[in-house]
Amino acid sequence: MHPALSVIFFTTASGAGYGLLVLLALYAAVTGNADAVVGILGFSLSLGLITAGLLSSTFHLGHPERAWRAISQWRSSWLSREGLLAIVSYCPALIFAVGWIFAEQNNGIWLVAAGATAGCAIATVVCTAMIYRSLKTVRQWNNDSVVPRFVSMAIATGGLWFVPILLIGGQPEHSLIVALFTVFMG
């Protein structure tokens, strides 16, 4: 099987973006830290990677103007579920970002938004994995290890971005913990 470069780019870019969102949410929950530099860099990069991946995926379609049809089949299609969750995940992520960057808080309602962001991010990656998992013609993907591997790779690649973000934001003590967590996830 030879997937298109746009599909490879979508899977890796959006996976890293969703993994970074999960790590931002975990970081907020564990530390309560709302450092502006970490927030601006983290949300800009994660949402930028997700958006670039989704645009790549949309342009991969034969007729991008018909992308809405891909979402309308959510009851029977993992691709539809993925597209729908990808769009829905922006809502809690943007609320979480506003709390972190503008209100400089990661508690209360902002922490609820962080949890919803992490949940939507993981659910979207699971849907992406299930697209591949459900391909019976590709023996290597039609097995139970695909979903956990996709989730762990998303978190690991998100961690590869998160460690330098923490260092740039002046949080070296947290960057080591994230690096170790990322190694164990991958």
Side-chain angles (χ1 to χ4, degrees):
M1 176 165 206
H2 302 286
L5 288 177
S6 59
V7 174
I8 294 169
F9 178 76
F10 158 72
T11 305
T12 55
S14 65
Y18 287 122
L20 182 52
L21 279 180
V22 169
L23 291 172
L24 285 166
L26 287 173
Y27 180 77
V30 171
T31 68
N33 189 338
D35 180 76
V37 174
V38 172
I40 291 168
L41 291 175
F43 287 107
S44 297
L45 184 59
S46 64
L47 295 174
L49 285 167
I50 292 165
T51 302
L54 291 174
L55 287 173
S56 169
S57 176
T58 301
F59 290 122
H60 173 73
L61 299 172
H63 294 277
E65 70 276 5
R66 297 184 194 158
W68 66 272
R69 286 188 185 170
I71 296 172
S72 67
Q73 306 297 316
W74 60 272
R75 290 183 184 166
S76 60
S77 166
W78 285 108
L79 178 63
S80 278
R81 293 176 191 134
E82 175 198 41
L84 190 59
L85 276 168
I87 292 167
V88 167
S89 67
Y90 279 101
C91 294
L94 291 173
I95 293 168
F96 178 33
V98 166
W100 187 316
I101 296 168
F102 297 108
E104 297 180 358
Q105 294 183 14
N106 278 327
N107 56 13
I109 191 70
W110 309 113
L111 193 55
V112 172
T117 298
C120 285
I122 290 172
T124 305
V125 172
V126 167
C127 287
T128 303
M130 286 305 295
I131 293 169
Y132 295 98
R133 166 72 173 90
S134 64
L135 295 174
K136 294 183 187 334
T137 56
V138 182
R139 190 183 93 260
Q140 293 86 346
W141 288 344
N142 190 12
N143 66 65
D144 294 336
S145 70
V146 170
V147 173
R149 286 181 186 198
F150 264 64
V151 172
S152 63
M153 284 303 296
I155 293 171
T157 54
L160 290 174
W161 291 103
F162 195 42
V163 169
I165 288 170
L166 287 172
L167 290 172
I168 291 168
Q171 307 295 321
E173 67 280 1
H174 296 139
S175 63
L176 178 62
I177 295 166
V178 171
L180 290 172
F181 176 77
T182 301
V183 167
F184 287 111
M185 282 303 295

